[in-house]
Amino acid sequence: MKNLITLAAVLTIAFNVSAQKTQDLFNGKNLNGWKALNGFAKFEVEDNAIVGISTKGSPSTYLSTKKEYTNFILEYEIKIDETLNSGVQIRSHHDPSKGDNSVYGPQVEAETSPRGWNGGIFDQSRYNWRYTIEYNPEVKTAWKNGAWNRVKVIASGNRIATWINDVNIANLIEENVETGFIALQVHAAGGAKIGKKSRWRNIKLTEISDNYNFETTAPVISYLKNELTQEEKNNGWKMLWDGKTTNGWRGAKQDKFPNKGWSMNDGILSVHASGGGESEHGGDIVTTKPYKNFILELDFQFAEGANSGIKYFVDTNLNKGKGSAIGCEYQILDDKKHPDAKKGVDGNRTLSSLYDLIRGDAQEYIPSLYTKKYVNKTGWNRARIVVDGNKVQHFLNGCKTVEYIRGTQQWRALVKYSKYKNWPNFGEAKEGLILLQDHGDEVHFKNIKIKELN
């Protein structure tokens, strides 16, 4: 609680809203100005609050404003019954052709589970998680189960920031600015959740400009395409690929960038499909500079059934023959369609794993998660690799999936029973190149950036 008080104390928001008009989105009496979308869960007014009731057989139901908004301060109070998951859509859209997923767009999360991702930003029926609270875990206790919680959302230009009970939770920079409705969600539910309630009251909105000045304390997570925010620049981040040229990259087994097998179009770096062979077409590409301690982050998208990887501590003087260059590998794989997912030991060749050594599994580090990995199967996923001395971590879409210490007895035992057993001191180099793998399948990369650590 002391940390939360400190965060609240240092939080200074320059609202400057004296010239803006705050409007009540809910009059406390009826649902004028709202309409239900997608499902058939019931909404009613009770004790000056909108109450949504979980209904058997209904998909998620949304009570939407009839008006759309782009830049705004949204404030509301929310209280949900135990075991429920809910939220408030912002800048969202409706497409009846999408069936039970007809409402899509950013949602400010509300939940009572031990995961504690309240105030995080989930892109409903589209991109999935954009800002999990694993980026800012010390604020998880800001939310109070069984009580009314005050929520503030500021959407201005590309930035969306959230607060719960005056604690800054999320600080998200989106690639695109959207205009859309506000909507209250009653989540699809079954069993003991039927008949339980989600409640909202004191729903107010102030429209603001797209360059509205306010400050945040939550870590910034940005999806700007191949571009750094000022916060990232101030914090030591650099683009590892400029989004346009081959500067800073070369072939792993040549002095220049490959003249086939890779392309750069519209800010996307792509390795082409060539039959699934390992480094047999254009070949792997590596940075021209080695890195020692760093945070590497990038977005990737793979074709159905694809295999690829991100390697680090790479020494291109090793394995000058056939196959890929040698290094520790963050596995990129379609776990459901590629046969490699069932090979290796205990799933250690699946997505986000340390290839052939340690299985990627977010539940190892966040036991309250509903799934071992959050994977956006229909679009882009975000990889993060953190190297701090001998300690290394893998993250997938904001969730840690692997952690290990190099150079220990346990590490060497893992290597001894892996495909790397014949490479002396595998993975123990002080520094190395970063590699994007050509494994003969179509994979795309963007937003490749790095922060070097001391």
Side-chain angles (χ1 to χ4, degrees):
M1 178 56 71
K2 182 178 180 181
N3 288 339
L4 296 184
I5 293 173
T6 301
L7 280 173
V10 300
L11 179 61
T12 56
I13 308 171
F15 284 112
N16 301 324
V17 295
S18 57
Q20 308 288 345
K21 183 178 179 181
T22 298
Q23 56 184 298
D24 290 318
L25 295 186
F26 169 52
N27 61 19
K29 300 176 182 178
N30 54 50
L31 300 180
N32 290 348
W34 298 82
K35 60 182 178 179
L37 300 172
N38 200 69
F40 52 86
K42 184 179 179 181
F43 288 91
E44 59 188 22
V45 177
E46 179 182 297
D47 295 331
N48 297 313
I50 296 176
V51 179
I53 305 170
S54 299
T55 303
K56 183 178 180 180
S58 175
S60 292
T61 308
Y62 303 85
L63 189 66
S64 162
T65 58
K66 294 179 180 179
K67 184 178 177 180
E68 296 189 336
Y69 305 91
T70 306
N71 301 301
F72 53 82
I73 301 170
L74 173 67
E75 298 175 90
Y76 57 90
E77 294 177 63
I78 181 171
K79 179 182 178 182
I80 58 178
D81 286 346
E82 197 69 27
T83 75
L84 287 187
N85 179 296
S86 183
V88 173
Q89 298 288 135
I90 60 171
R91 291 179 169 178
S92 290
H93 318 280
H94 180 231
D95 181 353
S97 70
K98 296 180 180 294
D100 289 348
N101 298 310
S102 66
V103 170
Y104 62 96
Q107 178 188 116
V108 180
E109 177 75 357
E111 59 178 46
T112 59
S113 79
R115 183 178 66 173
W117 286 4
N118 292 287
I121 300 173
F122 179 82
D123 200 285
Q124 180 71 38
S125 299
R126 188 172 54 172
Y127 303 138
N128 295 357
W129 280 102
R130 305 296 274 175
Y131 198 110
T132 80
I133 309 309
E134 301 310 309
Y135 289 122
N136 194 17
E138 66 268 25
V139 303
K140 288 185 179 183
T141 56
W143 173 274
K144 305 302 179 186
N145 279 343
W148 284 100
N149 291 274
R150 301 186 315 278
V151 179
K152 184 192 301 291
V153 184
I154 301 182
S156 176
N158 296 84
R159 188 185 301 273
I160 301 172
T162 66
W163 287 259
I164 292 177
N165 298 325
D166 300 322
V167 177
N168 189 196
I169 306 295
N171 183 15
L172 173 68
I173 308 294
E174 279 290 10
E175 180 178 350
N176 300 309
V177 178
E178 298 181 277
T179 297
F181 52 71
I182 310 294
L184 316 179
Q185 184 197 44
V186 172
H187 204 286
K193 295 181 181 180
I194 299 302
K196 291 198 172 184
K197 298 179 178 181
S198 301
R199 307 166 184 84
W200 298 265
R201 69 184 185 189
N202 296 330
I203 309 170
K204 302 177 184 296
L205 185 140
T206 306
E207 293 194 74
I208 57 176
S209 67
D210 62 358
N211 58 355
Y212 183 70
N213 179 34
F214 65 98
E215 296 182 5
T216 59
T217 55
V220 64
I221 298 298
S222 173
Y223 292 89
L224 290 181
K225 194 173 183 180
N226 304 316
E227 180 184 350
L228 296 174
T229 68
Q230 190 58 52
E231 294 111 308
E232 289 175 311
K233 292 176 183 178
N234 293 344
N235 204 25
W237 286 90
K238 295 180 180 179
M239 296 307 303
L240 198 54
W241 177 55
D242 62 17
K244 300 176 182 178
T245 72
T246 63
N247 292 344
W249 294 85
R250 65 172 176 85
K253 297 179 180 179
Q254 51 187 300
D255 294 330
K256 62 180 182 179
F257 198 88
N259 57 16
K260 64 177 182 178
W262 292 82
S263 63
M264 301 176 188
N265 295 299
D266 192 28
I268 307 296
L269 173 63
S270 302
V271 57
H272 302 164
S274 58
E278 183 178 318
S279 197
E280 292 182 356
H281 189 49
D284 304 335
I285 59 172
V286 295
T287 57
T288 55
K289 173 185 172 181
Y291 293 90
K292 184 177 181 180
N293 297 312
F294 57 86
I295 304 173
L296 171 69
E297 188 171 88
L298 60 81
D299 295 332
F300 64 90
Q301 183 185 64
F302 50 78
E304 184 175 316
N307 184 352
S308 184
I310 308 160
K311 295 188 179 183
Y312 48 101
F313 298 125
V314 171
D315 182 350
T316 54
N317 289 319
L318 298 174
N319 191 32
K320 291 187 175 181
K322 194 174 182 180
S324 184
I326 299 301
C328 298
E329 181 176 354
Y330 181 113
Q331 173 77 320
I332 294 176
L333 195 78
D334 183 343
D335 288 348
K336 291 189 175 181
K337 297 294 181 68
H338 196 285
D340 216 30
K342 297 181 180 179
K343 298 179 181 179
V345 178
D346 191 31
N348 65 7
R349 295 188 180 185
T350 57
L351 178 63
S352 80
S353 295
L354 176 63
Y355 178 75
D356 210 50
L357 291 162
I358 302 173
R359 178 190 66 202
D361 184 352
Q363 287 180 335
E364 293 283 338
Y365 308 99
I366 318 169
S368 57
L369 287 185
Y370 311 127
T371 180
K372 291 182 178 181
K373 300 171 190 174
Y374 282 108
V375 183
N376 184 6
K377 303 176 184 64
T378 60
W380 292 91
N381 291 276
R382 174 155 291 191
R384 177 179 281 211
I385 300 168
V386 180
V387 176
D388 188 359
N390 285 332
K391 182 178 179 180
V392 183
Q393 299 170 318
H394 289 186
F395 295 80
L396 175 65
N397 294 324
C399 297
K400 183 165 63 175
T401 59
V402 167
E403 181 172 296
Y404 65 96
I405 307 294
R406 302 184 296 145
T408 63
Q409 184 177 355
Q410 182 182 22
W411 167 256
R412 291 168 183 164
L414 284 170
V415 172
K416 184 178 180 179
Y417 291 97
S418 75
K419 65 178 290 185
Y420 304 110
K421 61 185 178 182
N422 295 325
W423 297 101
N425 302 315
F426 172 79
E428 297 188 34
K430 290 184 177 180
E431 63 178 19
L433 304 176
I434 292 169
L435 175 150
L436 300 180
Q437 187 181 44
D438 170 15
H439 209 298
D441 295 319
E442 180 182 334
V443 182
H444 309 283
F445 303 93
K446 65 178 180 179
N447 301 340
I448 308 172
K449 52 194 172 186
I450 195 163
K451 176 182 177 179
E452 293 189 76
L453 306 174
N454 294 330

